[in-house]
């Protein structure tokens, strides 16, 4: 749950993400169809049943996927025309930290992106140490990642992304394998970030305090508005679907 002092750190306005008439096919499936969205709010959630297109949309935003038709603009930068610049503005947090962490120690992993951008080894390490200190984890700099708990690994992934100073952070089911205490802590950390956050989660409690919730269904927008408006309708829809599934089709 976001606290008042955390909410105050949010950006009042963001450069924003814009989708104009976007269509996307994956394999034989039309995943997104003529989708237009303007996303400028500081905290936006994406919800929808399995296969509704949430991850595909997230991957369009960070350049892992390209639209077949239409335009994706990240802070005004066209993802098709300037893919590297657009992608550099979007940090992406995966569900499984083991898919994101590459290096054996925390410091090396956090410094990796900076090194890729051309920072010297010592400068990158100093910046990694700085962000670890900011989150009161400076003692982790030389710790082997393999010795960290799942929650600690998630925090390292988050710091590895934040150290690159993106304008937008996209999180696709980031905390599904962590316990309630760790999830609450990580959500509090997210609440303090002075950047735009786009969060995909099947745990609907995490959207408390969010500015906007977009419900995707069949690759289009089924509802879009404040969580207090969208969530009750989405919950009812999902529960009706559950009734349709039980018991023979499970
Ligand atoms: N690599 C792929 N190749 C072909 N089709 C894919 C691929 N990945 C996803 N799809 C299809 O795209 C559609 C949307 O999938 P997507 O992963 O975006 O949905 P989602 O809403 O994130 O689902 P979930 O909640 O299960 O993660 C689904 O029909 C899925 O089968």
């Amino acid at each position: 749950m976001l606290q008042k002092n955390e909410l105050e750190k949010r950006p009042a306005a963001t450069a924003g993400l814009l989708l104009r008439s976007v269509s996307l096919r994956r394999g034989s499936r039309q995943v997104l169809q003529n989708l237009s969205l303007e996303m400028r709010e500081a905290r936006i959630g994406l919800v929808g049943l399995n296969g509704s297109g949430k991850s595909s949309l997230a991957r369009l935003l960070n350049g892992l996927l390209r639209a077949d038709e239409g335009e994706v603009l990240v802070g005004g930068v066209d993802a098709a025309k300037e893919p590297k610049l657009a992608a550099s503005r979007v940090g992406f947090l995966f569900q499984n930290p083991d898919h994101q962490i590459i290096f054996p120690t925390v410091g090396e992993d956090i410094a990796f992106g900076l090194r890729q951008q051309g920072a010297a080894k010592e400068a990158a390490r100093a910046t990694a140490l700085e962000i670890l200190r900011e989150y009161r984890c400076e003692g982790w700099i030389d710790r082997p990642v393999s010795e960290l708990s799942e929650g600690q690994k998630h925090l390292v992934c988050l710091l590895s992304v934040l150290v690159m100073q993106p304008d937008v952070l996209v999180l696709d089911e980031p905390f599904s394998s962590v316990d309630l205490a760790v999830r609450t802590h990580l959500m509090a950390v997210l609440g303090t970030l002075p950047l735009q956050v786009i969060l995909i989660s099947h745990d609907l409690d995490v959207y408390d305090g969010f500015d906007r919730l977009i419900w995707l269904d069949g690759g289009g927008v089924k509802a879009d508005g404040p969580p207090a408006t969208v969530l009750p309708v989405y919950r009812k829809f999902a529960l009706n679907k559950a009734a349709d599934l039980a018991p023979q089709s499970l």
Side-chain angles (χ1 to χ4, degrees):
M1 192 179 306
L2 301 179
Q3 305 300 314
K4 188 169 179 292
N5 63 338
E6 292 166 348
L7 292 171
E8 282 163 2
K9 293 183 188 163
R10 293 176 178 186
T14 69
L17 302 159
L18 194 61
L19 274 73
R20 282 199 198 117
S21 308
V22 166
S23 295
L24 174 75
R25 266 188 103 73
R26 299 187 77 180
S28 59
R29 293 192 67 102
Q30 190 68 43
V31 179
L32 301 175
Q33 183 68 52
N34 199 25
L35 181 66
S36 292
L37 276 173
E38 187 173 340
M39 296 184 271
R40 293 193 190 278
E41 294 79 359
R43 296 293 180 271
I44 300 179
L46 290 179
V47 293
L49 298 181
N50 291 135
S52 56
K54 305 178 296 295
S55 297
S56 301
L57 174 56
R59 279 162 175 70
L60 277 176
L61 298 177
N62 76 345
L64 285 176
L65 290 174
R66 298 277 164 82
D68 297 315
E69 284 171 52
E71 286 177 320
V72 177
L73 298 168
V74 178
V77 177
D78 188 323
K81 292 184 184 144
E82 296 182 82
K84 277 196 179 159
L85 180 59
S88 72
R89 297 193 173 180
V90 182
F92 194 84
L93 210 61
F94 290 88
Q95 185 171 353
N96 185 343
D98 294 330
H99 292 167
Q100 192 154 348
I101 294 174
I102 304 171
F103 286 89
T105 68
V106 171
E108 286 171 296
D109 206 74
I110 295 178
F112 171 64
L114 299 166
R115 297 276 288 140
Q116 289 285 96
Q117 279 185 342
K121 195 171 178 187
E122 282 316 308
R125 181 180 163 88
T127 309
L129 187 58
E130 210 174 288
I131 198 164
L132 281 166
R133 194 170 287 134
E134 199 182 317
Y135 287 85
R136 289 177 289 152
C137 306
E138 59 266 40
W140 293 8
I141 184 97
D142 292 316
R143 263 184 90 172
V145 174
S146 56
E147 289 179 8
L148 298 180
S149 74
E150 204 60 15
Q152 290 169 333
K153 284 186 195 172
H154 276 284
L155 188 55
V156 169
C157 289
L158 182 57
L159 298 187
S160 300
V161 171
L162 293 181
V163 80
M164 304 302 291
Q165 300 188 309
D167 297 329
V168 188
L169 178 62
V170 179
L171 305 103
D172 189 355
E173 279 289 322
F175 309 138
S176 52
S177 62
V178 298
D179 65 34
L180 182 61
V182 173
R183 184 174 316 178
T184 305
H185 172 65
L186 290 169
M187 284 306 295
V189 171
L190 282 190
T192 65
L193 301 177
L195 43 71
Q196 187 180 29
V197 172
I198 311 283
L199 176 63
I200 298 173
S201 177
H202 289 292
D203 172 7
L204 304 180
D205 292 338
V206 299
Y207 294 122
D208 192 12
F210 268 55
D211 302 307
R212 177 178 173 193
L213 207 56
I214 300 169
W215 168 10
L216 288 184
D217 188 55
V221 175
K222 181 110 171 168
D224 183 354
T229 311
V230 176
L231 271 181
V233 198
Y234 174 62
R235 272 185 214 279
K236 196 171 169 196
F237 173 84
L239 290 174
N240 282 340
K241 278 275 177 202
D244 288 348
L245 289 174
Q248 66 280 16
S249 37
L250 282 179

